[in-house]
Amino acid sequence: MIEWTKPLVYLSNNWISFLGVLGVTSAFVFWLFLLPTSLRSEHHPYLGILTFLILPGIFIGGLALIPIGMIMRKRRGGLPLEFPPLDFSNTNFRRLVVFVGAATFANVVLASTFTYQAVAFMDSAGFCGLTCHKVMKPEYTAYQGSPHARVDCVGCHIGPGANWFVKSKLSGLWQVVSVTFDLYHRPIETPIPDLRPARETCEACHWPQKYGEDRIRVNTHYADDEKNTATQNVLLVRIGKIHRAHLGTGVQIRYRADAKRENIPWVEHSENGKDIRTYTAKDAKADAYVKMDLRVMDCMDCHNRPSHTFETPELALDRRISGGLIPSSLPFARKKGLELLKASYSSNADAETKIRSAWAAAYPNAAGSAQAVVDIYNRNVFPEMNITWGTYPNHIGHNSFPGCFRCHDERPSNTGAKTITQDCNNCHSLLAMDEASPKILTDIGFEKPKTD
Ligand code: HEC
Ligand code: HEC
Ligand code: HEC
Ligand code: HEC
Ligand code: HEC
């Protein structure tokens, strides 16, 4: 051993330096174990934050503590005239070696046992939805009832591929900082800037050949009258044609829109770079829209809520009445439900108390069905995040929100040859509209599916 290490060994025998040593060894061992998983692409931003931010932080902090402890010890006691030799007869040396050895051993045991579980846990939907409980509760709640309830959040929000690794790390970092310091928007803003292009994430599971069939949709609605009169819409939705028109081979649609993508003044259609047609909204002013963001249309321009669909109060009530959770025999049940759901409350708890008592007053013999109304509220409205009815519009369709009609408003093309059509039968055949018992449904032997 060299002479100059002797005073270091002597001085390092204090609890502050030992704490530093513990920090350095723990951070290093855990870092080694996490590195391979962190470098593989599809992992969670929080894991990256742990590996590239928190652990190095602890490492550097530990490194700093070691000399701090030494300086303090020196101030306290000064140095002896001669240092003991560096072998096991020297208590200071023995303690240091034993401490470093034990800490490393313990860390290896802990890291090898827990990193796998920690990584799996961080990737799980429960972690995303519940760790930032209040912030993501609305998305998590909507997600649980969605067709994608078994797809982990990272399946859509990060997706496979290496080049999104850094991007997701950076945006994840910002997310953690903004949650910690309470800087985030309420509600969380959408569309998400820099979200990975949907075709790369969605098409990991869905591919064009697999979603090309026409489908029959049957929607049951109830009127706001005393009898809650039911009517049905039956549509044959031309899914294949719709998909091909926007994303078929060679087709590219680009558009300019405001930040929310709700106002779309300019659209361009091309096929293999040829047949370029541009469509400008009738009231659009060129000098205003050329400055707007340019975007290539993908899945999310229609399916913007594949996993976090917030209901409208009208459709939510239709669904619960249809599913029998709210008896259609209660006079004016839909009207009453709408009135209660649309009222404003200070919190979910406040809503719960008031909805229950108002419902019980109106329907003393069916007070239990108030639960379904309360559930609709809690599923869709989150006062603490400023999320209310319509905060997050859904772009599929055109009845509750502008949706397809953001572009399909009969605006003419620059060539004059076409418009972006609003012809009803282009997107669906209306097999029945607002009918009490559509003949087509009896003809095909349709049975009412159980909802919820
Ligand atoms: C099937 C794909 C999919 C899954 C699974 C998914 N999301 Fe999303 N998420 C989206 C899309 C699409 C958007 C809207 C993006 C846009 O418009 O920019 C979104 C938006 C969000 C937003 C922004 C606020 C909002 O509501 O628009 C948050 C927060 C969010 N998701 C959290 C989560 C969490 C937490 C999970 C897991 C519990 C999850 N997501 C699972 C596709 C998904
Ligand atoms: C990890 C796989 C996976 C990813 C990624 C994924 N989906 Fe899905 N998606 C599924 C599965 C599985 C179903 C079928 C669920 C069922 O039938 O209940 C589904 C169903 C759907 C449906 C039909 C929903 C319905 O009401 O029947 C749509 C639309 C859809 N996905 C769109 C998307 C979009 C858009 C994205 C990208 C933002 C996406 N999916 C990403 C697996 C995935
Ligand atoms: C122009 C709008 C639009 C775009 C772009 C779009 N879709 Fe769709 N998609 C629809 C409509 C409309 C339906 C029918 C919805 C319904 O009736 O519930 C649908 C249905 C689906 C379904 C369900 C099919 C079924 O048989 O029930 C899946 C899955 C799907 N789309 C996936 C995708 C994926 C993946 C992309 C991107 C590659 C995409 N869509 C792009 C409009 C679009
Ligand atoms: C960003 C603008 C935009 C949005 C949003 C949009 N479309 Fe389109 N759509 C277009 C353009 C552009 C065309 C092609 C017009 C052309 O041929 O030049 C088109 C064509 C179509 C066609 C084929 C029409 C024909 O004449 O053959 C159908 C069907 C269609 N869209 C359905 C939908 C549905 C359903 C939705 C909503 C779920 C939707 N579109 C949303 C821009 C849009
Ligand atoms: C650009 C395509 C497009 C055009 C044009 C269009 N629709 Fe639709 N429409 C849709 C889509 C997509 C849906 C949603 C299908 C579903 O329920 O999943 C829808 C849904 C509907 C519904 C069912 C609403 C419900 O909640 O029961 C009705 C009714 C309807 N459309 C009527 C019309 C009429 C009338 C016209 C002509 C003025 C028209 N649509 C034009 C795409 C279109």
Short mmCIF file of all heavy atoms in Angstrom, two decimals, residues 155 160 197-209 211 247 298-299:
data_model
loop_
_atom_site.label_atom_id
_atom_site.label_comp_id
_atom_site.label_asym_id
_atom_site.label_seq_id
_atom_site.Cartn_x
_atom_site.Cartn_y
_atom_site.Cartn_z
N GLY A 155 -47.56 0.24 -24.21
CA GLY A 155 -47.84 -0.33 -25.53
C GLY A 155 -48.25 0.75 -26.52
O GLY A 155 -47.93 0.67 -27.70
N PRO A 160 -42.53 -0.06 -29.51
CA PRO A 160 -41.22 -0.64 -29.76
C PRO A 160 -40.32 0.28 -30.58
O PRO A 160 -40.79 1.22 -31.19
CB PRO A 160 -41.56 -1.91 -30.55
CG PRO A 160 -42.83 -1.58 -31.26
CD PRO A 160 -43.57 -0.61 -30.40
N PRO A 197 -45.70 8.35 -33.50
CA PRO A 197 -46.73 8.22 -34.54
C PRO A 197 -47.56 6.97 -34.31
O PRO A 197 -47.02 5.89 -34.09
CB PRO A 197 -45.92 8.11 -35.83
CG PRO A 197 -44.61 8.76 -35.53
CD PRO A 197 -44.37 8.55 -34.07
N ALA A 198 -48.88 7.12 -34.37
CA ALA A 198 -49.78 6.03 -34.01
C ALA A 198 -49.55 4.79 -34.87
O ALA A 198 -49.70 3.68 -34.41
CB ALA A 198 -51.22 6.49 -34.15
N ARG A 199 -49.15 5.01 -36.14
CA ARG A 199 -49.03 3.83 -37.00
C ARG A 199 -47.93 2.90 -36.51
O ARG A 199 -47.97 1.71 -36.78
CB ARG A 199 -48.79 4.26 -38.45
CG ARG A 199 -49.97 5.08 -38.96
CD ARG A 199 -50.05 5.13 -40.44
NE ARG A 199 -50.18 3.80 -41.03
CZ ARG A 199 -50.41 3.59 -42.31
NH1 ARG A 199 -50.53 4.61 -43.12
NH2 ARG A 199 -50.53 2.37 -42.77
N GLU A 200 -46.95 3.44 -35.82
CA GLU A 200 -45.89 2.57 -35.30
C GLU A 200 -46.33 1.84 -34.04
O GLU A 200 -45.89 0.73 -33.78
CB GLU A 200 -44.62 3.38 -35.00
CG GLU A 200 -43.98 3.92 -36.25
CD GLU A 200 -42.84 4.87 -35.93
OE1 GLU A 200 -42.26 4.76 -34.84
OE2 GLU A 200 -42.55 5.72 -36.79
N THR A 201 -47.15 2.47 -33.23
CA THR A 201 -47.59 1.79 -32.01
C THR A 201 -48.80 0.91 -32.29
O THR A 201 -48.78 -0.28 -32.01
CB THR A 201 -47.92 2.81 -30.91
OG1 THR A 201 -48.73 3.83 -31.44
CG2 THR A 201 -46.67 3.41 -30.32
N CYS A 202 -49.83 1.48 -32.90
CA CYS A 202 -51.06 0.71 -33.13
C CYS A 202 -50.79 -0.48 -34.03
O CYS A 202 -51.33 -1.56 -33.85
CB CYS A 202 -52.14 1.56 -33.78
SG CYS A 202 -52.38 3.16 -33.01
N GLU A 203 -49.93 -0.26 -35.05
CA GLU A 203 -49.73 -1.33 -36.02
C GLU A 203 -48.83 -2.45 -35.52
O GLU A 203 -48.60 -3.42 -36.22
CB GLU A 203 -49.25 -0.75 -37.37
CG GLU A 203 -50.39 0.01 -38.03
CD GLU A 203 -50.12 0.46 -39.46
OE1 GLU A 203 -49.13 -0.02 -40.06
OE2 GLU A 203 -50.89 1.29 -39.96
N ALA A 204 -48.36 -2.31 -34.27
CA ALA A 204 -47.71 -3.47 -33.65
C ALA A 204 -48.75 -4.56 -33.41
O ALA A 204 -48.43 -5.74 -33.32
CB ALA A 204 -47.04 -3.07 -32.34
N CYS A 205 -50.01 -4.19 -33.28
CA CYS A 205 -51.07 -5.16 -33.01
C CYS A 205 -52.14 -5.21 -34.10
O CYS A 205 -52.71 -6.26 -34.35
CB CYS A 205 -51.75 -4.86 -31.68
SG CYS A 205 -50.65 -4.94 -30.27
N HIS A 206 -52.44 -4.08 -34.70
CA HIS A 206 -53.47 -4.05 -35.74
C HIS A 206 -52.79 -3.81 -37.07
O HIS A 206 -51.93 -2.95 -37.16
CB HIS A 206 -54.42 -2.86 -35.53
CG HIS A 206 -55.10 -2.85 -34.20
ND1 HIS A 206 -56.15 -3.66 -33.90
CD2 HIS A 206 -54.88 -2.12 -33.09
CE1 HIS A 206 -56.56 -3.43 -32.66
NE2 HIS A 206 -55.81 -2.50 -32.14
N TRP A 207 -53.16 -4.53 -38.10
CA TRP A 207 -52.61 -4.20 -39.39
C TRP A 207 -53.74 -4.08 -40.41
O TRP A 207 -54.80 -4.66 -40.23
CB TRP A 207 -51.51 -5.17 -39.84
CG TRP A 207 -51.91 -6.60 -39.99
CD1 TRP A 207 -52.16 -7.25 -41.15
CD2 TRP A 207 -52.06 -7.57 -38.94
NE1 TRP A 207 -52.47 -8.56 -40.89
CE2 TRP A 207 -52.42 -8.78 -39.56
CE3 TRP A 207 -51.93 -7.52 -37.56
CZ2 TRP A 207 -52.65 -9.94 -38.82
CZ3 TRP A 207 -52.17 -8.67 -36.83
CH2 TRP A 207 -52.52 -9.86 -37.45
N PRO A 208 -53.50 -3.27 -41.45
CA PRO A 208 -54.60 -2.85 -42.31
C PRO A 208 -55.49 -3.99 -42.80
O PRO A 208 -56.71 -3.85 -42.81
CB PRO A 208 -53.88 -2.16 -43.48
CG PRO A 208 -52.63 -1.63 -42.87
CD PRO A 208 -52.23 -2.64 -41.83
N GLN A 209 -54.92 -5.13 -43.17
CA GLN A 209 -55.77 -6.20 -43.68
C GLN A 209 -56.76 -6.70 -42.64
O GLN A 209 -57.76 -7.31 -42.96
CB GLN A 209 -54.92 -7.41 -44.12
CG GLN A 209 -53.92 -7.12 -45.21
CD GLN A 209 -52.60 -6.62 -44.64
OE1 GLN A 209 -52.56 -5.81 -43.72
NE2 GLN A 209 -51.49 -7.09 -45.19
N TYR A 211 -58.55 -4.94 -40.44
CA TYR A 211 -59.69 -4.14 -40.02
C TYR A 211 -60.40 -3.54 -41.21
O TYR A 211 -60.67 -2.38 -41.27
CB TYR A 211 -59.30 -3.07 -38.98
CG TYR A 211 -58.07 -2.26 -39.30
CD1 TYR A 211 -58.12 -1.18 -40.15
CD2 TYR A 211 -56.86 -2.60 -38.72
CE1 TYR A 211 -57.00 -0.44 -40.42
CE2 TYR A 211 -55.73 -1.87 -38.99
CZ TYR A 211 -55.80 -0.80 -39.84
OH TYR A 211 -54.69 -0.07 -40.11
N LEU A 247 -55.76 5.78 -45.39
CA LEU A 247 -54.46 5.15 -45.11
C LEU A 247 -54.16 4.00 -46.05
O LEU A 247 -53.29 3.18 -45.78
CB LEU A 247 -54.44 4.62 -43.66
CG LEU A 247 -54.61 5.66 -42.54
CD1 LEU A 247 -54.79 4.97 -41.21
CD2 LEU A 247 -53.42 6.60 -42.48
N ASP A 298 -52.96 10.06 -39.27
CA ASP A 298 -52.77 8.66 -38.91
C ASP A 298 -53.95 8.16 -38.08
O ASP A 298 -54.96 8.86 -37.96
CB ASP A 298 -51.41 8.44 -38.22
CG ASP A 298 -51.32 9.03 -36.81
OD1 ASP A 298 -52.35 9.26 -36.18
OD2 ASP A 298 -50.18 9.25 -36.35
N CYS A 299 -53.82 6.97 -37.51
CA CYS A 299 -54.94 6.34 -36.78
C CYS A 299 -55.56 7.28 -35.77
O CYS A 299 -56.78 7.33 -35.60
CB CYS A 299 -54.48 5.09 -36.03
SG CYS A 299 -53.37 4.01 -36.92
#
